[in-house]
Amino acid sequence: MEDQAQIDEFKARIDAGGKVEVGDWMPEDYRTRAIRFIEMHGNSELMGALPERDWILRAPSLRRKLALTAKIQDEVGHGQLLYRVAEDLGKPREAMLEDLIAGRTKFHNVFHYPTRTWADVAIIGWLVDAAAIVSQTALRSSSYAPYARTMTRICWEEAFHLKQGEDAVLTLMAGTERQKEMCQEALNRWWGPLMHMHGPNTPAERDGDLAWKIKTKCNYDLRQEFLATYIPKIREIGLEVPDPNMRHDQATGSWLYTEPDWEELKTVVRGAGPASQERLGFRRFNYEETRWVRDAVLGSASVAA
Amino acid sequence: MDTTVGDVYEVFRQEEQGDPFRHAGNLLAPDDDLALQYARDLYGRRHESVRLWVVRRAAIMEVKDADLLASQLDRTYREGAGYRITVEKRKALRARVAAERGEAK
């Protein structure tokens, strides 16, 4: 049983902008929420490598192949960094990998969808990464300091991901009619998932992760920030935002849009998205294929012991 | 911690020659050799570090003494910033010396 006075003292420290380090005492609710949040982030990095992996061989030039390979390497690296942070909070990596492939834990909605053309890869690199950077930049002020520091590192690498995606989109939009069409089609396909990405507009007072400052901005604000920066950038290069209601409201200063279908988001992240099972299947296959590496490493641990 | 997968190592990185080493993060490794290899992969592969220090977490000791490290007492007497008043004092004194010497304003 936890001491309420100790919890109150912890909460007061968080509210005053205090940071938590790995060895510090923390309430169980804080620990559980931090693990779940960071684990989901780590899962998403690992699963996010898969849609792009499909395109290494098909990327249109050597430079694009190299960039894509480097981006994928970064993402798997982010998965490792994040799993380590979650692991330090008490959940072993093997348990996280097993929960992921069994479908017991979640990963970001955008990685449940297939990539149809090279333009999908370009749009993902630019806009999915941009939306992720908005969230991750805010997480640099998370109350859980090891996570916040990891975000600083990850954002630094994400800057390249975003730029290579933007470069690919700009190249397509400066190309032939067919290339422009392909890019617009990709944007149309990804618009729904992009609008889902920051999550439903859960009121701040009902968001426990926000109360503990594990995350620092509410979903609505993150989405507004994304729209404010990227709607003008999308429009100025000749792309159309596939939402007739998307406009900036001068009176309130916020962006108005068609409310996304939140049921679709729920269905997708439960593992029933168009590519969910294929991706998890590949992750399971990969987990089995690389088992010998883990066995070899565990073997060397027992020898060293 | 699950000891079957090894020990926790903390990694410190130096970004430029002469910079202080800063904590980068930590990793789990079954032995020292693999700890060094993982540190390279995680914190050196993008040429973001000129040196890496890797140390077992168990070897790190911490001073936990709030009286010393986060004292509630006023300690500004031992900081340069505790003497900003010198600007005002100098101004006032300069004026007084000038007046005593009968200098024009």
Side-chain angles (χ1 to χ4, degrees):
Chain A
M1 193 62 202
E2 292 185 322
D3 178 3
Q4 190 57 43
Q6 204 176 9
I7 296 175
D8 293 344
E9 194 189 329
F10 180 89
K11 181 76 170 66
R13 198 175 118 209
I14 297 290
D15 287 344
K19 302 288 175 186
V20 183
E21 292 290 347
V22 63
D24 294 355
W25 181 87
M26 61 189 89
E28 269 315 299
D29 186 53
Y30 183 93
R31 186 182 297 277
T32 311
R33 283 179 178 281
I35 291 175
R36 192 174 54 200
F37 195 92
I38 298 165
E39 177 182 10
M40 197 269 203
H41 192 168
N43 289 345
S44 303
E45 296 280 359
L46 271 193
M47 297 306 288
L50 299 184
E52 292 175 321
R53 173 192 173 278
D54 296 344
W55 286 90
I56 296 176
L57 290 176
R58 288 180 280 175
S61 71
L62 180 59
R63 190 181 160 85
R64 297 270 187 236
K65 285 184 212 294
L66 288 170
L68 201 55
T69 310
K71 180 176 192 280
I72 291 165
Q73 189 186 29
D74 283 349
E75 276 155 8
V76 175
H78 297 171
Q80 288 178 332
L81 293 175
L82 290 163
Y83 274 0
R84 184 81 267 287
V85 175
E87 197 168 38
D88 236 357
L89 283 164
K91 183 165 180 179
R93 174 154 56 181
E94 288 295 294
M96 288 189 274
L97 284 169
E98 279 164 16
D99 282 350
L100 172 66
I101 61 179
R104 286 189 291 267
T105 47
K106 289 177 178 163
F107 57 99
H108 254 302
N109 72 305
V110 282
F111 306 124
H112 291 263
Y113 292 86
T115 44
R116 305 261 181 237
T117 69
W118 169 249
D120 291 58
V121 182
I123 291 288
I124 292 172
W126 185 33
L127 295 176
V128 169
D129 280 66
I133 290 172
V134 168
S135 303
Q136 295 181 138
T137 302
L139 289 168
R140 289 187 304 185
S141 45
S142 170
S143 64
Y144 190 54
Y147 186 41
R149 286 193 292 269
T150 304
M151 280 310 109
T152 304
R153 148 104 199 181
I154 289 182
C155 286
W156 174 66
E157 291 184 355
E158 294 278 357
F160 137 66
H161 300 177
L162 172 87
K163 278 296 171 194
Q164 66 85 36
E166 184 183 3
D167 187 60
V169 169
L170 294 176
T171 305
L172 289 170
M173 291 308 289
T176 63
E177 285 308 311
R178 182 64 200 114
Q179 282 175 306
K180 286 193 249 183
E181 218 172 281
M182 196 168 94
C183 201
Q184 181 66 54
E185 285 165 5
L187 180 65
N188 297 351
R189 273 194 290 279
W190 287 92
W191 194 251
L194 274 168
M195 289 297 288
H196 286 143
M197 221 179 141
H198 292 112
N201 300 331
T202 311
E205 62 278 10
R206 286 206 352 244
D207 193 331
D209 296 336
L210 210 51
W212 288 123
K213 295 194 183 174
I214 293 166
K215 69 178 194 188
T216 55
K217 283 186 185 168
C218 70
N219 298 346
Y220 178 83
D221 289 351
L222 291 168
R223 183 161 28 251
Q224 284 292 327
E225 207 176 301
F226 170 69
L227 296 174
T229 311
Y230 288 94
I231 294 291
K233 285 181 192 280
I234 291 169
R235 286 180 171 159
E236 75 184 10
I237 60 171
L239 281 166
E240 287 198 28
V241 176
D243 177 356
N245 296 319
M246 179 68 67
R247 67 184 175 87
H248 187 248
D249 182 29
Q250 299 290 350
T252 59
S254 54
W255 287 82
L256 304 177
Y257 48 78
T258 307
E259 197 59 24
D261 176 2
W262 297 116
E263 283 308 311
E264 180 185 330
L265 176 66
K266 277 188 209 159
T267 309
V268 161
V269 296
R270 267 201 308 265
S276 314
Q277 290 311 314
E278 182 198 326
R279 298 261 162 78
L280 283 172
F282 180 81
R283 187 47 76 204
R284 271 192 287 275
F285 167 76
N286 181 263
Y287 187 69
E288 290 310 319
E289 285 282 288
T290 56
R291 182 178 291 283
W292 69 272
V293 179
R294 290 189 300 280
D295 287 347
V297 169
L298 296 185
S300 89
S302 59
V303 170
Chain B
M1 199 200 70
D2 185 358
T3 50
T4 58
V5 286
D7 287 327
V8 179
Y9 292 75
E10 298 289 348
V11 182
F12 299 82
R13 49 181 284 264
Q14 189 184 40
E15 208 163 294
E16 303 281 348
Q17 284 191 46
D19 278 358
F21 280 75
R22 298 186 73 167
H23 184 233
N26 62 65
L27 51 87
L28 199 54
D31 57 43
D32 290 355
D33 287 341
L34 277 170
L36 289 171
Q37 186 58 47
Y38 295 164
R40 291 166 58 117
D41 290 347
L42 290 168
Y43 298 104
R45 84 172 182 281
R46 281 170 143 276
H47 309 295
E48 70 272 48
S49 311
V50 294
R51 281 172 193 257
L52 291 173
W53 282 349
V54 183
V55 57
R56 282 176 199 264
R57 177 182 283 172
I60 295 178
M61 297 180 291
E62 186 176 355
V63 174
K64 283 189 172 173
D65 181 351
D67 286 341
L68 174 77
L69 300 173
S71 174
Q72 300 299 308
L73 298 173
D74 179 4
R75 303 269 187 185
T76 53
Y77 62 83
R78 57 192 297 165
E79 293 160 19
Y83 297 86
R84 291 210 182 92
I85 191 68
T86 52
V87 176
E88 291 303 312
K89 283 185 175 174
R90 171 169 291 278
K91 204 172 143 193
L93 188 56
R94 197 167 53 212
R96 203 174 88 196
V97 169
E100 282 168 7
R101 288 176 182 160
E103 289 170 10
K105 276 188 185 174

